Structures are given as C-alpha cells and as structure tokens.
Amino acid sequence: MGEREPLHRTAEEVAEDEEFFRWYGRWAPLDPAGVVELMAGFERPWWIVGGWSIEAYTGRPREHEDVDVSILGCDLGAFRAHVGADWNLWSNHGGTLRPFNDRHPEVLDVGSQVWIRRSASDPWVVDMVPTPDRDGLWTSKRDPDIVLPLDDVTWVAGDGVRYQRPEVTLHYKAALHRPKDDRDLAVTWPLLDPQAQAWLADVVRRLHPDHPWLGLMA
C-alpha cells in the first residue's frame, strides 16, 4: 500500500475543525488495528464504517480525520459494559454531549454518535456511530425503509476485520457531499460490481434526485 493521499479540505472545513477543537477538544484517532484492540472480547457484531471502509475495499490509502465504528443500537449497553471504567463514553446528539454511564445508561439518540476517550485530559479516539436496528436487522439512517441482514451490508477483510460495504458507506456520504466524499466515490465506483452499482444509484436517485453523483452513475 502506497503513501497516504492528503485529505483535501476547504478553508471553511479547516475553520470548522478549529472551532470544533476549541469547544470539544482534540482528536487522536485510532487506526483499524487500534480499534481491533479496543473491541477485543466484545461478543456482539461491530464493524468499521466511513473512510476507512472505503480504503479497506479499494486499497487506496488516504488521510483520515477520525475512525468510525458501528454496532447495532440494541448492543450499546453491552458495549458500555465491555469498556467498563477504562474509557469515558459521551453521547453526542447534534453537538449536545452527555455522559453515557451508570447515571445516564441511555444515549441521547440511538441514531447519533458516541465519542470515546480515556479522560477529560485525553483526546477523543473513536467516533462510534450506532446503527438503528429492527429486530436485530441493520436499518439505514438515511432511509428507514432499507432494512437488511448485517451480512448483506458488511464484509470481512483478509485481516479478519469487518467493514461496511462500500456502496453502503457511499449512500451515507452522498448526503454530505464533501470533497473527500467525491474522492471516495471516484476511486470506488469502478470497483463495484453491477449489483452494488445499481443499488447505490437507486438509493441516491431516490434520496437525492438532483445529486451530481448521478452523472457518474448513469
């Protein structure tokens, strides 16, 4: 695997990051190997999503601002028990933070985020994005009518790590449409099989009828 492609960010994105750090603190994200160590012994399904899932599928490395990990919403309590007192968990819903601990055993919103760090003086290391589930089935946050078995939306790489399938990651990224998302689509689209391409194009067409990506997908 070659050198990491720099992450191109607009001036607005850089300014937003600096404002974020001022309010919430710095990030020193784990890499997938670090996530494996964190999740060792957790007996419920977990998988890596976001940009790292694109890199795992394409073999095209780029810089990453964080690492995104997902579990089913029904397994949040099991995850809190798994990390115990070793890590601080914070439920983040739209910028509102609340501890996810014995005093507050429920997250603010199962479709939001759980940020993870050692303590208040340490940087954040993982952005956990729980996936709403319906009777244990994966449910899309973008379209709750998309309900699938977990094995249909994830795959296991040669190193044994489970990742979100690239077309599923891209259906989330379509709503954000940042420069890094355009890049991830460009390197991934030619590698998708026809079934995956058709699924992604259909979802983007339904959710974002005027999306610029549809030109590439035609």
Side-chain angles (χ1 to χ4, degrees):
M1 191 171 289
E3 293 184 5
R4 294 201 168 276
E5 181 181 330
L7 185 63
H8 298 291
R9 297 183 297 162
T10 65
E12 182 180 1
E13 288 176 319
V14 172
E16 287 177 355
D17 284 349
E18 290 304 318
E19 185 70 2
F20 173 94
F21 296 147
R22 188 171 75 87
W23 282 98
Y24 298 109
R26 294 278 167 178
W27 278 82
L30 301 178
D31 60 11
V35 173
V36 169
E37 184 176 346
L38 171 68
M39 303 301 289
F42 183 61
E43 297 182 351
R44 303 298 301 151
W46 63 271
W47 59 101
I48 293 176
V49 303
W52 279 106
S53 69
I54 296 294
E55 178 171 323
Y57 185 83
T58 63
R60 294 280 298 275
R62 69 161 170 83
E63 293 180 349
H64 299 276
E65 297 164 298
D66 57 12
V67 60
D68 303 311
V69 181
S70 192
I71 62 175
L72 294 177
C74 60
D75 292 329
L76 279 164
F79 177 72
R80 187 165 65 86
H82 168 70
V83 300
D86 292 337
W87 296 91
N88 287 177
L89 307 181
W90 286 80
S91 176
N92 173 17
H93 181 52
T96 297
L97 297 182
R98 188 181 73 184
F100 178 36
N101 56 15
D102 289 342
R103 182 180 178 187
H104 301 286
E106 302 293 334
V107 295
L108 291 168
D109 186 285
V110 72
S112 194
Q113 300 161 287
V114 175
W115 288 353
I116 304 172
R117 63 184 178 184
R118 286 285 188 187
S119 72
S121 60
D122 292 306
W124 305 102
V125 297
V126 170
D127 181 5
M128 177 166 281
V129 283
T131 295
D133 66 284
R134 193 175 303 171
D135 297 326
L137 295 174
W138 177 93
T139 304
S140 169
K141 295 181 183 180
R142 298 286 186 252
D143 182 352
D145 289 333
I146 303 177
V147 181
L148 295 165
L150 184 60
D151 285 345
D152 288 359
V153 296
T154 61
W155 65 288
V156 179
D159 59 4
V161 177
R162 183 177 293 272
Y163 292 89
Q164 189 164 258
R165 285 197 54 82
E167 66 272 21
V168 179
T169 294
L170 289 168
H171 106 284
Y172 283 121
K173 284 175 166 285
L176 302 171
H177 194 210
R178 301 158 298 189
K180 65 180 179 181
D181 303 317
D182 291 343
R183 178 268 183 198
D184 287 347
L185 174 70
V187 301
T188 305
W189 181 258
L191 304 179
L192 297 177
D193 62 41
Q195 182 178 356
Q197 288 184 342
W199 183 90
L200 178 59
D202 177 67
V203 172
V204 173
R205 190 176 298 111
R206 286 191 293 105
L207 298 180
H208 315 284
D210 299 319
H211 203 293
W213 285 5
L214 293 173
L216 175 65
M217 298 175 179

